[in-house]
Amino acid sequence: MMSYVYDLMKTPFVLALIKIVILLVVAFTVIAYITLVERRLLGFFQSRLGPNRVGPLGLIQPIADGVKLFIKEDTVPIHSNSLLFRIAPIFTFFPSLVGFGVLTFALPWITPASKMHLFALADVDLGVLLVLSLSSLGIFGLMLGGYASGSKYPYFGGLRACSQMLSYEVPLTLSIITVVMMANSFRLSDIVTAQQTHRLYFFIPLIISFVIYLICMIAETNRTPFDLPEGESEIIGFHTEYSGMRFGFYYVGEYTNVVFLSMLAPALFLGGYDIPFVNDIALWQVYPQLISILGFCSYAIKSVLFAYFYIWVRATFPRYRYDQLLKIGWLVLLPISLVNLFIVAGIKLFLLK
Amino acid sequence: MGRIKDINGSGYPEWIGLTKLDIILDYCRRNSLWPMTFGLACCAIEMICAMCSRFDLSRFGSEVMRPSPRQSDVMIIAGTVTLKMAPMVRRLYDEMPYPKWVIAMGNCAVHGGPFDDYAVLQGAGRILPVDIYISGCPPRPEALLYALMKLQEKIRNPKVVNEPHFIGPDYSKPTKGWMAKGEEIPEVVEEYLKQGRGVDSSQILE
Amino acid sequence: MQLLNKFLKMITFPDLLKGLKITTKYVSKKKITEKYPEEKRSYPYRYRGRIHVTIDTCISCRLCEKACPEGCLKVFPPPREIMKTDKRPAQFYFSQEHCLHCGMCVDSCPTGSIHHSHEFEITVFNTKELLFDKEKLPYDMLKKQYKWNLVENVPTKVEVKKKEEV
């Protein structure tokens, strides 16, 4: 019986299913608790305690919020386009969730029986391109949500969101392309391997791309100081008409984006699952399992740093005006990233060969 | 397992652990009350103060101020409801999805406060079903926190409302004043109760 | 040189970094939040909370009723026969829903039987509970009732006068 189960486990399809389930559970837990971490950290930044009364240290707070959103009444306005209104939240939520499948979380864990890669679900060739196309799919959710609400204010909110995400996607893509050029591959694990073999994280040679990525990362996920699409208090955002779990999808989708982009950033710039100051690949041939677990931990710590950066920036900066936002996008970030792209390409062509 | 305990008329054996889903749902409801950003007058300043560092409403999980009525659970009517604003208040209340609660904060929202005139609604309770009234002019931020806790208590057990609720000390002891000696309440006093304020109490001297 | 300075300022974002530095300081600092239901702060000595009336020293003079700008106090003196011996009011109404906590009644009282308490959590489910009558207005029991008052004795005007005389 046990051997049969073990054989079944070894088939790629079942293994992939198990991986998907584990990935989803972990991802949802992280997404749920990053809301709590954000609220508590925002409290600490403002010299107050965050939510700490619901359960020990407020640990049940995200569950309470989620269940409350589920059982809240779901309103659909009369003048809305009801089909689009119902579908739109899914567009923001699922593309970013699919992105998790492309990531590689550690060096391959080699079990004696099988040589399966346990820490990657689908390490596809064009991983970076897939990620970029998925993130541009996310625009549809905001745009359709604003359009389908049947009200002027969400409509304008949707337009705002659309133009912001479009204009910041260009510098984001250009900054990622420099990384791709340095690594000679679109595959995310290859990018990490390139950093491991060069013993140099890409954020040192590509510092300009790194800064541009940091700015565009915040703008892509519509968070302060670029949270104009939502505009919680002053200008009304695209999800004004949404209530209950449909609003919850937007809410969760935003945090999924945050988690995803802060997990993508270390792979591109900080060496991913590489352990700093250690020759990973040499050690991995001796102790494969130990190194892959330690690598996973270092990857987690690096992505936590980026998630912390999100909250830190949110606690510090006020919101930009809309024309300033577009000016930064088109007149500052785009030229800089284009020039940066040409410089990196020139260096790659003529100096590094 | 012969013993059968009757829980709500359903004959389950005692050894079956029974609970209601409502208990969990109410727990979640009362611990994530998202208030609506809705300040009408000076009491809104105290509401903002309750959000800030010293009093910190976020400890109860309700610092998520929602600007849209569609996503909010509690409406804190903080301040004077003028007759011109009253339809908007009612409309915002109607736009909130169920389950929803209302807190009337400050004397103006409770009963018109000092403004007994042509322009002010005499109490938000005339247009809305108010759950909790906070008196004060304005109430301290702690009073808002206390009201929020009372609201949580009400969500857990709606029967709390019908129980005699007194603030502060226990008044159950018999008083030793003139009333306790056995005299009846004067008729004028009863009339006062019927008519409300404005009765000249000098009648009683005649 | 100026151009170089400008360029350096453009690429290093000194003002943004300064802001980030300031906010980081507060993460590890001590929080100033008061955990309200468990911890209660000490309120100022002359804090004006809900008024309390000591019925036993009241002489039914109705000065407070006249002084109140809102008309939220109503004093009903006892019938004349009783008034000769016992001046305590027959009924005393105080409607909290109109009270501004202005303190006029406290100033006007000749016997100091009205005074402000530190009670502020006046939260009810029904507005009828905001009309306090003689039985609900507490008296004689202040020290026992409000344990959380750091200023235990809320002094009446008489006591203050006595202190001044001494």
Side-chain angles (χ1 to χ4, degrees):
Chain A
M1 182 64 194
M2 283 309 289
S3 63
Y4 175 71
V5 171
Y6 195 65
D7 285 350
L8 197 68
M9 290 268 286
K10 278 198 291 186
T11 57
F13 179 70
V14 177
L15 195 69
L17 270 185
I18 293 168
K19 276 189 211 166
I20 286 171
V21 169
I22 291 171
L23 188 68
L24 276 184
V25 168
V26 172
F28 274 120
T29 324
V30 169
I31 290 159
Y33 277 92
I34 200 172
T35 60
L36 176 71
V37 167
E38 189 192 13
R39 284 162 75 174
R40 290 221 71 172
L41 262 181
L42 273 183
F44 289 165
F45 276 119
Q46 293 161 8
S47 149
R48 60 184 168 88
L49 307 156
N52 64 348
R53 300 193 139 250
V54 192
L57 295 172
L59 282 178
I60 310 179
Q61 185 69 54
I63 300 168
D65 280 340
V67 173
K68 187 215 75 177
L69 281 173
F70 258 113
I71 56 181
K72 196 118 173 96
E73 187 194 356
D74 181 32
T75 53
V76 179
I78 298 172
H79 297 293
S80 66
N81 186 335
S82 68
L83 179 70
L84 284 181
F85 188 82
R86 280 157 216 261
I87 289 175
I90 298 164
F91 272 100
T92 44
F93 181 50
F94 280 100
S96 46
L97 204 62
V98 171
F100 283 106
V102 187
L103 297 173
T104 308
F105 296 102
L107 280 169
W109 170 294
I110 295 181
T111 52
S114 65
K115 292 195 173 179
M116 293 281 178
H117 199 319
L118 289 183
F119 288 101
L121 184 60
D123 195 12
V124 290
D125 285 354
L126 297 173
V128 174
L129 271 190
L130 183 70
V131 164
L132 288 172
S133 53
L134 284 173
S135 79
S136 46
L137 257 185
I139 297 175
F140 278 98
L142 317 188
M143 206 171 68
L144 287 179
Y147 168 71
S149 293
S151 168
K152 284 169 211 160
Y153 299 106
Y155 184 68
F156 284 131
L159 284 182
R160 248 186 283 129
C162 189
S163 61
Q164 175 184 335
M165 289 183 77
L166 277 176
S167 55
Y168 275 82
E169 199 139 288
V170 181
L172 183 79
T173 313
L174 290 178
S175 71
I176 289 178
I177 280 176
T178 56
V179 175
V180 172
M181 285 197 305
M182 290 293 279
N184 269 333
S185 171
F186 274 103
R187 194 195 289 260
L188 275 166
S189 62
D190 281 355
I191 291 172
V192 177
T193 317
Q195 296 178 54
Q196 279 178 331
T197 47
H198 287 121
R199 307 296 310 273
L200 181 69
Y201 294 166
F202 281 158
F203 82 97
I204 299 166
L206 301 175
I207 181 74
I208 300 169
S209 310
F210 183 58
V211 172
I212 289 170
Y213 181 88
L214 281 183
I215 296 169
C216 294
M217 172 176 94
I218 297 166
E220 271 291 293
T221 45
N222 306 329
R223 291 171 58 80
T224 30
F226 304 107
D227 63 338
L228 284 132
E230 286 161 33
E232 279 182 344
S233 45
E234 299 89 18
I235 41 174
I236 303 168
F238 56 90
H239 55 46
T240 303
E241 294 290 344
Y242 281 90
S243 74
M245 203 52 216
R246 287 185 210 288
F247 166 69
F249 268 122
Y250 276 125
Y251 196 68
V252 171
E254 185 190 321
Y255 283 98
T256 317
N257 259 320
V258 168
V259 172
F260 174 65
L261 278 181
S262 55
M263 282 174 111
L264 183 69
L268 294 176
F269 292 102
L270 284 191
Y273 44 80
D274 181 52
I275 307 162
F277 313 116
V278 175
N279 191 354
D280 275 45
I281 295 175
L283 272 173
W284 175 69
Q285 279 152 0
V286 188
Y287 317 103
Q289 290 154 9
L290 180 75
I291 289 299
S292 60
I293 284 179
L294 282 179
F296 183 76
C297 293
S298 86
Y299 193 84
I301 289 166
K302 282 168 189 169
S303 11
V304 163
L305 281 180
F306 278 92
Y308 179 80
F309 179 74
Y310 263 109
I311 300 162
W312 190 14
V313 166
R314 186 181 167 179
T316 308
F317 298 128
R319 186 183 297 149
Y320 277 103
R321 224 187 320 134
Y322 191 60
D323 58 328
Q324 288 174 338
L325 175 102
L326 287 185
K327 219 177 244 178
I328 291 170
W330 288 107
L331 295 183
V332 180
L333 290 182
L334 182 66
I336 288 177
S337 56
L338 269 175
V339 169
N340 180 40
L341 178 73
F342 281 117
I343 290 170
V344 172
I347 289 169
K348 180 75 185 170
L349 263 178
F350 300 115
L351 296 180
L352 294 176
K353 301 238 167 164
Chain B
M1 304 300 171
R3 289 175 301 162
I4 285 178
K5 196 178 180 184
D6 202 19
I7 300 164
N8 295 334
S10 55
Y12 288 110
E14 195 180 316
W15 49 270
I16 294 179
L18 266 188
T19 181
K20 290 178 191 165
L21 191 63
D22 278 2
I23 291 171
I24 298 166
L25 297 189
D26 283 346
Y27 181 84
C28 296
R29 270 189 197 124
R30 73 170 187 268
N31 279 315
S32 73
L33 292 168
W34 292 358
M36 187 155 69
T37 320
F38 186 58
L40 283 171
C42 35
C43 284
I45 305 296
E46 299 293 307
M47 186 173 74
I48 294 161
C49 193
M51 296 279 162
C52 287
S53 304
R54 188 177 289 272
F55 305 106
D56 198 13
L57 203 59
S58 75
R59 286 177 295 131
F60 302 88
S62 54
E63 94 277 29
V64 193
M65 295 291 269
R66 282 282 125 202
S68 165
R70 301 264 186 223
Q71 296 142 21
S72 47
D73 307 298
V74 192
M75 186 184 201
I76 301 173
I77 304 171
T80 323
V81 187
T82 51
L83 285 181
K84 209 163 188 178
M85 197 63 189
M88 314 301 166
V89 176
R90 176 70 209 190
R91 184 176 168 176
L92 283 173
Y93 175 77
D94 289 338
E95 278 174 349
M96 281 162 70
Y98 285 95
K100 52 188 172 185
W101 295 276
V102 179
I103 296 175
M105 183 183 181
N107 276 344
C108 301
V110 172
H111 206 278
F115 308 109
D116 189 8
D117 54 23
Y118 62 93
V120 174
L121 187 75
Q122 298 299 304
R126 301 201 174 193
I127 52 167
L128 299 176
V130 179
D131 290 280
I132 303 264
Y133 296 91
I134 316 169
S135 180
C137 192
R140 283 193 70 84
E142 287 106 318
L144 184 59
L145 296 184
Y146 185 79
L148 198 80
M149 287 190 292
K150 277 281 160 201
L151 183 62
Q152 289 178 344
E153 208 173 287
K154 183 183 174 177
I155 295 167
R156 185 174 61 209
N157 180 19
K159 285 175 191 170
V160 173
V161 181
N162 298 326
E163 289 166 6
H165 171 69
F166 294 117
I167 319 103
D170 181 22
Y171 299 99
S172 57
K173 287 175 187 173
T175 51
K176 43 179 175 173
W178 178 81
M179 294 286 288
K181 286 175 185 170
E183 280 86 350
E184 291 177 357
I185 302 172
E187 285 180 10
V188 186
V189 179
E190 283 178 351
E191 275 178 21
Y192 170 82
L193 271 177
K194 282 174 195 169
Q195 293 175 10
R197 66 177 170 150
V199 176
D200 188 10
S201 64
S202 61
Q203 292 172 30
I204 202 169
L205 289 176
E206 303 306 318
Chain C
M1 198 62 205
Q2 275 187 345
L3 272 176
L4 190 72
N5 259 334
K6 261 192 178 178
F7 181 70
L8 272 177
K9 267 190 183 177
M10 225 176 79
I11 55 167
T12 51
F13 312 115
D15 24 1
L16 297 186
L17 289 178
K18 194 180 174 188
L20 289 173
K21 198 179 152 191
I22 288 171
T23 39
T24 329
K25 265 193 256 167
Y26 281 88
V27 179
S28 52
K29 263 191 184 175
K30 204 192 166 195
K31 312 290 172 293
I32 60 164
T33 309
E34 292 158 3
K35 294 156 193 157
Y36 160 65
E38 292 89 28
E39 295 174 10
K40 278 159 182 161
R41 64 197 293 215
S42 63
Y43 295 96
Y45 176 67
R46 280 173 291 185
Y47 177 73
R48 301 205 288 242
R50 181 167 80 78
I51 61 160
H52 282 188
V53 182
T54 317
I55 298 285
D56 286 344
T57 55
C58 181
I59 54 168
S60 310
C61 64
R62 292 166 58 223
L63 276 176
C64 50
E65 190 184 316
K66 296 234 162 63
C68 184
E70 277 304 301
C72 56
L73 285 160
K74 282 289 169 198
V75 186
F76 292 93
R80 277 202 180 152
E81 299 153 18
I82 304 171
M83 190 76 170
K84 288 167 190 167
T85 55
D86 189 0
K87 289 187 175 180
R88 286 176 299 182
Q91 186 53 286
F92 195 105
Y93 286 109
F94 166 59
S95 81
Q96 169 62 39
E97 57 198 7
H98 297 287
C99 182
L100 293 171
H101 305 269
C102 63
M104 296 279 208
C105 48
V106 180
D107 291 341
S108 68
C109 187
T111 59
S113 31
I114 298 187
H115 49 85
H116 286 291
S117 68
H118 284 193
E119 180 183 336
F120 58 84
E121 297 143 323
I122 314 159
T123 302
V124 291
F125 294 114
N126 193 341
T127 36
K128 279 177 192 171
E129 289 168 41
L130 287 175
L131 182 69
F132 291 89
D133 60 359
K134 201 173 105 176
E135 294 175 9
K136 282 189 196 171
L137 288 164
Y139 57 100
D140 282 352
M141 294 190 285
L142 268 177
K143 284 180 192 172
K144 292 174 195 170
Q145 287 157 5
Y146 297 102
K147 282 177 187 172
W148 47 269
N149 272 357
L150 287 188
V151 186
E152 275 201 355
N153 297 313
V154 183
T156 57
K157 203 175 178 184
V158 178
E159 286 173 22
V160 174
K161 268 187 183 175
K162 277 178 189 171
K163 275 179 193 172
E164 284 172 2
E165 284 169 12
V166 171

